[in-house]
Amino acid sequence: MRAVTVIPGVPGSLRLLDDYPEPATEEGAILVEAIAVGICGTDLEIIEGQYGEAPPGTDHLVLGHESLGRVIEDPTGTLQPGDLVAGIVRHPDPLPCPNCAVDEWDMCRNGMFTEHGIKALPGFARQRWRLQPRFAVGLDPALGEVGVLLEPTSVVVKAWDHIFRIGERSEWQPRTALITGAGPIGLLAALLASQRGLSVHVLDLATEGPKPALAGALGATYHAGSLDQLDFEPDVIVECTGAPVVVLEAMCKVAPTGIVCLAGVSSGGRTIDFDAGALNRTLVLENNVVFGSVNANRRHWNAAAEALSRADRTWLASLITRRVPLSEYATAYSPGPKDIKVILDFSA
Ligand SMILES: [Zn+2]
């Protein structure tokens, strides 16, 4: 069968193989036919050779961690043939650490977890794959293709889960949320903020393209420009750009008792001048919290499936700005300036 692969650590090794083996039954009882995979920055880093790890005993890593498929067979009866399904990306470490021991693999402490399409597990960019029931998430059939947004949605559900858990340290009545960065993660974070009844603001550099209207359709206020020019202090900031200046401005701008969730990954390697003492003073005197958030566990995946089911389908569909047939796979990994989410279409 066909599969999109790389040799991790080797830039330019992206290939579409025609003769990739069928998924082994050891991968799981549920056999799935791929519908689509979403593409994100992690895939591009793996293709550039910066990241990624092949499964033990092999050179090739199948890409794809944002999955959507249709169940072919499930002898366990967990799902029915024809059901829409997505695969949970991370599997717990084998030790396991205290968090993985209770299935909170998103909080793994020893880094020995594995991840489909990223770290030591084959990804979902292949025509068929298998899942164990505990890593399979069924989707509302009405979602169709937008079900491919489940993985990025699970990541922002986890971020919001932790924001509210942290908020409960005191009387917590957040009113305003600022999302920095209007890519797929930022826009989905804004969707979840609006579902939680918050007054939502989205900040991004783009003045053209679909981002302002997508934010507006959620009832959010869109700001193009810099964070320090905003005339209000948000109760919550979900930082999705990873841009060092934005990260620092977010920590300075958040309201007293505010929470800043860092959900974007910086590339590192650049230094900027800033007053660490002044930042410390603000964080201490205002009881502010800054924390990082990555990945998601089963609870978050289930909640993400519900959140997508409640969302406006047309809005979700408009996040998908390009569908690339498998035969033209390479172009899917070259994002254009107006792309939000690009998907590789296995049904074409
Ligand atoms: Zn662990």
Side-chain angles (χ1 to χ4, degrees):
M1 65 175 180
R2 296 197 288 175
V4 179
T5 68
V6 294
I7 301 173
V10 180
S13 61
L14 179 70
R15 297 284 183 278
L16 177 63
L17 301 184
D18 287 329
D19 56 353
Y20 193 82
E22 291 290 328
T25 49
E26 295 75 49
E27 287 183 32
I30 305 175
L31 178 63
V32 181
E33 176 180 40
I35 295 174
V37 296
I39 288 162
C40 84
T42 301
D43 297 302
L44 307 185
E45 288 177 8
I46 294 171
I47 290 167
E48 288 165 7
Q50 298 173 28
Y51 204 62
E53 182 184 326
T58 62
D59 295 331
H60 289 82
L61 173 70
V62 178
L63 283 178
H65 56 278
E66 300 184 4
S67 61
L68 177 69
R70 195 175 297 287
V71 174
I72 298 172
E73 62 177 30
D74 178 6
T76 71
T78 310
L79 293 168
Q80 299 303 313
D83 282 354
L84 286 184
V85 65
I88 290 178
V89 175
R90 187 177 288 189
H91 289 207
D93 79 77
L95 196 60
C97 75
N99 291 314
C100 286
V102 293
D103 284 352
E104 301 216 348
W105 47 71
D106 57 316
M107 299 297 283
C108 182
R109 287 166 67 171
N110 62 27
M112 290 161 61
F113 57 81
T114 53
E115 290 179 330
H116 284 286
I118 301 172
K119 189 171 182 284
L121 286 178
F124 301 110
R126 45 184 168 151
Q127 286 181 294
R128 285 170 290 285
W129 28 274
R130 284 181 173 273
L131 293 171
Q132 299 168 35
R134 66 189 289 224
F135 299 115
V137 184
L139 283 154
D140 179 349
L143 281 172
E145 180 191 75
V146 298
V148 76
L149 299 170
L150 186 63
E151 193 276 344
T153 306
S154 75
V155 168
V156 291
V157 165
K158 187 257 181 90
W160 278 109
D161 174 36
H162 284 214
I163 288 165
F164 275 81
R165 283 163 180 251
I166 293 167
E168 283 166 11
R169 69 199 166 128
S170 66
E171 181 61 30
W172 176 240
Q173 295 179 359
R175 289 193 307 275
T176 53
L178 171 69
I179 315 298
T180 53
I185 291 285
L187 288 165
L188 289 167
L191 167 70
L192 294 186
S194 72
Q195 287 185 345
R196 281 156 181 72
L198 294 162
S199 167
V200 187
H201 296 259
V202 175
L203 180 129
D204 192 280
L205 292 174
T207 52
E208 297 174 358
K211 291 176 177 178
L214 282 166
L218 292 174
T221 307
Y222 186 86
H223 306 266
S226 88
L227 206 159
D228 62 3
Q229 289 168 341
L230 296 181
D231 61 357
F232 68 100
E233 294 185 328
D235 297 314
V236 179
I237 301 180
V238 185
E239 204 301 300
C240 303
T241 70
V245 171
V246 183
V247 170
L248 286 172
E249 286 177 350
M251 293 193 278
C252 297
K253 191 73 178 181
V254 75
T257 74
I259 298 173
V260 178
C261 173
L262 303 179
V265 181
S266 306
S267 49
R270 274 172 295 171
T271 56
I272 50 175
D273 267 343
F274 92 104
D275 185 342
L279 175 63
N280 168 274
R281 192 179 166 80
T282 304
L283 295 179
V284 172
L285 297 180
E286 296 187 351
N287 286 296
N288 293 339
V289 175
V290 179
F291 78 103
S293 180
V294 72
N295 202 255
N297 65 41
R298 171 99 214 184
R299 249 178 328 109
H300 304 127
W301 282 81
N302 290 344
E306 285 173 29
L308 286 184
S309 194
R310 278 205 308 277
D312 182 275
R313 289 288 130 75
T314 308
W315 186 86
L316 291 172
S318 56
L319 295 185
I320 298 172
T321 46
R322 206 150 53 89
R323 288 161 189 81
V324 178
L326 189 55
S327 56
E328 294 165 31
Y329 70 102
T331 63
Y333 296 96
S334 305
K338 289 185 179 167
D339 279 329
I340 294 177
K341 178 58 70 184
V342 177
I343 66 169
L344 202 50
D345 184 356
F346 279 74
S347 64

